[in-house]
């Protein structure tokens, strides 16, 4: 493998290794501080981060508001408080080494307010902001106003060009780098566009070369491209090193940092990672954001897939092939479906899937009564964690709604991510992971269930493995 060269990131020379930010409480001050202390770049999540009382005890998030808007405002206050807490922990742990970044999702509820709140409350503690999950046009302006570098996360040259031409060109001196996140291999939410086939992955090298070409054509600074998604060991990325078409490059690791001593995920989560096999991570579109995302196939994902299998189209009046009457709901209101779908629905009902829930696409999904009750309860208890939510039809605009029906084919992402981050069941909650997570089971570094410290992992990465 070619020699790794240190790079200037957020104003300091560091190892070209970056911890990927993972939402809620999965990348926190302890994990990111350890990465920075090792001379690399740590990234804590600014997405509803944990905070603590005066005794250092974790404070669970409990919403008091009676309306979605009130709970949304509470969520923003919690997020700011938690982000500041994690920034302080990371800064203290870094001991003046490396760099500390904060990761936010542009489509999270109140993202602008949270960015302002954390950067104001943690001045001098955060060196960079990474931001994706949407088109973060304003992140450059916000970061620059606090003297903090910004790192937009993109999955294509086209996305970068749109960001640069519309907004980011006004703040070139604070562009710290571009995170290229492979939309087929990354964990969590993925940036697949409507023109890209989720089942036909493209090689990352030509896409990164195209990104660098677009940066140069736009006149952007020659800052590092941080390659993310599918990065396991660096010897597999030798073609990116000393490549003039790529330019200065660093590598971001999202999945491997989960399995470290400093990682805050539960022991059950870590054990589950060690046992994953090829094909155990699914690229799907269940997320209430509407984006594709990648997560471990478990009971949570299986149940969501089951909802799609128990789905039929309906109309309120007999039309075309929709001639068979079907009574749904407590009032037995009639809708019309095809005779074949009527026969399928009758079979599902016999097997206990008696609740037909309407979707925004004029379809019905059939679920068991207890699942229907849980879906409705979660929709009612929505706390506005996204700028717009398909599941609950919340939107943070003045109307407070997307104007569409709430979609029972999705789920409350805030609830399940809080649960799994705080020792929830890894089978019944959403468990994000990258598509290389199965390599924990075959990589000799993790033989006999070995879980390294962050520094041990970084030392290993620097060898190429």
């Amino acid at each position: 493998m070619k020699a790794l060269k240190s790079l200037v990131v957020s104003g300091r020379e560091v190892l070209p290794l970056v911890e990927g930010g993972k939402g809620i409480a999965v990348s926190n001050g302890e994990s990111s501080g350890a990465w920075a202390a090792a001379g690399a770049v740590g990234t804590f999540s600014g997405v509803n981060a944990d905070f603590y009382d005066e005794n250092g005890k974790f404070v669970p998030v409990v919403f008091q508001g009676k309306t979605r808007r009130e709970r949304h405002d509470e969520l923003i206050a919690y997020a700011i408080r938690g982000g500041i807490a994690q920034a302080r922990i990371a800064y203290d742990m870094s001991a003046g080494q490396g760099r500390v970044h904060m990761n936010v999702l542009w489509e999270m509820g109140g993202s602008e307010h949270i960015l302002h709140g954390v950067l104001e409350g943690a001045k001098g503690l955060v060196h960079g902001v990474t931001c994706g999950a949407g088109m973060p046009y304003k992140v450059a302006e916000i970061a620059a106003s606090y003297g903090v570098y910004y790192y937009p996360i993109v999955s294509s040259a086209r996305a970068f060009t749109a960001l640069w031409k519309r907004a980011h060109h006004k703040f070139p001196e604070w562009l710290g780098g571009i995170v290229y996140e492979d939309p087929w291999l990354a964990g969590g939410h993925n940036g697949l566009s409507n023109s890209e086939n989720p089942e036909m992955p493209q090689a990352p090298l030509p896409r990164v070369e195209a990104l660098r070409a677009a940066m140069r054509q736009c006149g952007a600074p020659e800052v590092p491209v941080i390659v993310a998604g599918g990065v396991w060991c660096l010897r597999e990325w030798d073609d990116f090193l000393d490549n003039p078409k790529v330019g200065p490059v660093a590598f971001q690791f999202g999945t491997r940092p989960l399995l470290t001593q400093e990682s805050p995920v539960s022991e059950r989560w870590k054990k589950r990672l060690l046992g994953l096999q090829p094909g155990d991570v699914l690229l799907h579109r269940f997320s209430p954001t509407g984006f594709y995302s990648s997560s471990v196939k478990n009971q949570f994902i299986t149940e969501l897939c089951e909802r799609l299998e128990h789905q039929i189209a309906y109309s309120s009046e007999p039309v075309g092939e929709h001639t068979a009457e079907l009574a749904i709901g407590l009032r037995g209101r009639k809708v019309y479906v095809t005779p074949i779908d009527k026969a399928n629905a009758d079979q599902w009902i016999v097997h206990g899937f008696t609740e037909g829930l309407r979707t925004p696409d004029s379809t019905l999904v059939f679920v068991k009564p207890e699942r229907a009750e849980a879906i409705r309860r979660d929709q009612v208890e929505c706390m506005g964690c996204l700028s717009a939510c398909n599941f609950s039809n919340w939107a943070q605009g003045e109307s407070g709604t997307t104007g569409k029906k709430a979609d029972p084919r999705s789920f409350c992402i805030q609830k399940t991510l809080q649960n799994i981050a705080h020792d929830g069941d890894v089978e019944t909650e959403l468990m994000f992971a990258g598509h290389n997570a199965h390599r924990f089971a075959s990589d000799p570094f993790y033989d006999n269930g070995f879980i390294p410290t962050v520094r041990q992992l970084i030392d290993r990465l620097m060898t190429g493995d």
Side-chain angles (χ1 to χ4, degrees), residues 54-105:
E54 60 274 10
N55 298 315
K57 185 178 179 180
F58 164 64
V59 179
V61 175
V62 179
F63 295 96
Q64 305 296 333
K66 297 185 182 301
T67 68
R68 291 180 175 186
R69 181 69 62 185
E70 290 172 348
R71 294 191 292 269
H72 172 71
D73 292 341
E74 286 182 79
L75 186 85
I76 292 174
Y78 282 136
I80 292 172
R81 186 176 170 184
I84 294 170
Q86 297 305 326
R88 288 173 177 163
I89 293 169
Y91 185 83
D92 290 344
M93 286 195 62
S94 69
Q97 303 301 308
R99 296 281 85 175
V100 173
H101 288 180
M102 176 174 73
N103 180 66
V104 293
L105 307 180

Side-chain angles (χ1 to χ4, degrees), residues 120-268:
E120 177 65 35
K123 283 184 177 179
L125 308 183
V126 178
H127 308 116
V129 173
T130 59
C131 187
M135 293 296 280
Y137 292 113
K138 292 186 179 180
V139 70
E141 178 182 357
I142 295 171
S145 70
Y146 294 93
V148 170
Y149 292 91
Y150 66 97
Y151 297 78
I153 302 172
V154 301
S155 295
S156 67
R158 181 181 177 184
F160 164 78
T161 301
L163 286 171
W164 182 260
K165 289 185 175 180
R166 177 167 170 177
H168 291 0
H169 72 278
K170 300 175 184 177
F171 307 94
E173 69 274 23
W174 293 106
L175 178 66
I178 303 295
V179 180
Y180 168 78
E181 188 173 76
D182 189 289
W184 290 276
L185 294 175
H189 289 104
N190 307 71
L192 275 170
S193 70
N194 291 331
S195 63
E196 292 166 330
N197 189 335
E199 297 182 0
M200 296 183 65
Q202 298 176 16
L205 181 58
R207 292 173 68 91
V208 172
E209 290 176 346
L211 171 59
R212 178 64 73 182
M215 292 170 64
R216 290 168 175 165
Q217 186 174 3
C218 289
E222 192 79 349
V223 294
V225 169
I226 301 171
V227 179
V231 183
W232 186 266
C233 58
L234 295 182
R235 65 178 67 257
E236 298 171 347
W237 299 81
D238 214 37
D239 290 345
F240 287 69
L241 301 174
D242 297 327
N243 183 336
K245 291 184 178 181
V246 171
V249 63
F251 298 90
Q252 179 171 297
F253 297 82
T255 297
R256 288 189 76 169
L258 287 170
L259 209 57
T260 60
Q261 296 290 339
E262 294 86 350
S263 169
V265 306
S266 69
E267 293 305 311
R268 285 184 292 178

Side-chain angles (χ1 to χ4, degrees), residues 101-400:
H101 288 180
M102 176 174 73
N103 180 66
V104 293
L105 307 180
W106 195 245
E107 293 302 323
M108 72 184 188
S111 58
E112 292 183 50
H113 294 292
I114 293 167
L115 262 177
H116 278 292
V118 176
L119 294 180
E120 177 65 35
K123 283 184 177 179
L125 308 183
V126 178
H127 308 116
V129 173
T130 59
C131 187
M135 293 296 280
Y137 292 113
K138 292 186 179 180
V139 70
E141 178 182 357
I142 295 171
S145 70
Y146 294 93
V148 170
Y149 292 91
Y150 66 97
Y151 297 78
I153 302 172
V154 301
S155 295
S156 67
R158 181 181 177 184
F160 164 78
T161 301
L163 286 171
W164 182 260
K165 289 185 175 180
R166 177 167 170 177
H168 291 0
H169 72 278
K170 300 175 184 177
F171 307 94
E173 69 274 23
W174 293 106
L175 178 66
I178 303 295
V179 180
Y180 168 78
E181 188 173 76
D182 189 289
W184 290 276
L185 294 175
H189 289 104
N190 307 71
L192 275 170
S193 70
N194 291 331
S195 63
E196 292 166 330
N197 189 335
E199 297 182 0
M200 296 183 65
Q202 298 176 16
L205 181 58
R207 292 173 68 91
V208 172
E209 290 176 346
L211 171 59
R212 178 64 73 182
M215 292 170 64
R216 290 168 175 165
Q217 186 174 3
C218 289
E222 192 79 349
V223 294
V225 169
I226 301 171
V227 179
V231 183
W232 186 266
C233 58
L234 295 182
R235 65 178 67 257
E236 298 171 347
W237 299 81
D238 214 37
D239 290 345
F240 287 69
L241 301 174
D242 297 327
N243 183 336
K245 291 184 178 181
V246 171
V249 63
F251 298 90
Q252 179 171 297
F253 297 82
T255 297
R256 288 189 76 169
L258 287 170
L259 209 57
T260 60
Q261 296 290 339
E262 294 86 350
S263 169
V265 306
S266 69
E267 293 305 311
R268 285 184 292 178
W269 191 335
K270 291 176 182 179
K271 184 177 180 180
R272 186 76 163 84
L273 288 171
L274 285 167
L276 293 178
Q277 299 299 312
D280 279 353
V281 174
L282 179 69
L283 178 64
H284 58 81
R285 211 167 188 175
F286 293 121
S287 171
T289 63
F291 297 132
Y292 282 94
S293 62
S294 297
S295 53
V296 172
K297 294 178 183 177
N298 58 6
Q299 293 176 30
F300 184 89
I301 292 297
T302 298
E303 194 278 326
L304 286 166
C305 291
E306 189 177 66
R307 291 186 212 174
L308 295 188
E309 293 168 359
H310 294 169
Q311 180 176 210
I312 58 175
Y314 75 93
S315 61
S316 57
E317 301 290 340
V319 58
E321 296 181 352
H322 290 69
T323 57
E325 288 186 358
L326 180 65
I328 60 170
L330 293 175
R331 299 181 183 179
R333 290 180 176 174
K334 292 179 180 178
V335 296
Y336 295 86
V337 299
T338 68
I340 293 177
D341 284 343
K342 173 66 163 56
N344 287 332
D346 288 341
Q347 283 298 309
W348 298 331
I349 291 170
V350 167
H351 288 91
F353 297 87
T354 57
E355 297 288 318
L357 305 180
R358 299 174 191 251
T359 80
D361 300 321
S362 296
T363 64
L364 296 168
V365 291
F366 286 82
V367 298
K368 294 182 177 180
E370 60 271 22
R371 178 61 60 185
E373 181 181 353
I375 289 170
R376 294 187 183 109
R377 182 174 61 251
D378 287 346
Q379 289 171 336
V380 169
E381 294 176 353
C382 170
M383 69 295 290
C385 72
L386 299 173
S387 62
C389 177
N390 292 339
F391 175 66
S392 68
N393 87 356
W394 153 267
Q396 67 184 17
E398 187 175 340
S399 67

